[in-house]
Amino acid sequence: MTYVQLFITFFVIGLFTFGGGSAMLSLIQMQVVGKFGWLTEGQFTDIIAISQCTPGPIGINCATYTGYEVAGVAGSAISTFALVLPSFIIFFGIITIYNKYRNTSLYGSVMAGLRPAMAGLIAAAALILMFRFGPGEISIVKENFPDVSAWIIMALSATAALAFKANPILLIVAGGLVGLIIY
């Protein structure tokens, strides 16, 4: 049953996520931490940090790691396959439609609607990592932001990314080095 749950969970995440791996983080977190309890908040945060530093898309890395934690090597293969399968199916369908309708106003309208939705999903993922939202309360996820230094690192990284359009790879490496020195 675990294999079936892994497959269905990651297939649905892959099916209903637009905008890439970062956009799917909030959906993955909701399922693997919230609904099924396969991982803790701390484990999920660690997955995100490791997934940013390892080759491959972050969503696939998260699915692979989660599958491994839940059901070993077979679980990681099932989770990864299930996450990418909808993309392959949709991709081949979209190519056919795109070639037929790419110069119409309908296509432009659909794409204009998807852009803000992607930004919203990415913002939701960031907020979920920063805050725990409960009934009538909002609290800081202490595992992710244990002290003032963590908030300063986050603020400086966000400022460098937004104001100076800093290279994300350099920000990740710099954040890791600063974390190594401080912690």
Side-chain angles (χ1 to χ4, degrees), residues 26 114-127:
S26 61
L114 286 177
R115 285 184 201 105
M118 289 185 323
L121 285 171
I122 292 169
L127 289 173

Side-chain angles (χ1 to χ4, degrees), residues 28-47:
I28 293 173
Q29 188 270 347
M30 213 169 21
Q31 295 297 310
V32 305
V33 176
K35 183 176 179 181
F36 292 108
W38 289 331
L39 301 173
T40 65
E41 290 279 349
Q43 286 175 308
F44 187 73
T45 302
D46 291 345
I47 289 173

Side-chain angles (χ1 to χ4, degrees), residues 16-29:
F16 291 106
T17 303
F18 294 93
S22 297
M24 69 176 53
L25 288 178
S26 61
L27 295 174
I28 293 173
Q29 188 270 347

Side-chain angles (χ1 to χ4, degrees), residues 29-79:
Q29 188 270 347
M30 213 169 21
Q31 295 297 310
V32 305
V33 176
K35 183 176 179 181
F36 292 108
W38 289 331
L39 301 173
T40 65
E41 290 279 349
Q43 286 175 308
F44 187 73
T45 302
D46 291 345
I47 289 173
I48 293 170
I50 291 168
S51 295
Q52 290 284 10
C53 298
T54 55
I58 188 170
I60 293 173
N61 291 345
C62 285
T64 303
Y65 182 83
T66 301
Y68 183 80
E69 285 293 311
V70 172
V73 174
S76 68
I78 288 168
S79 298

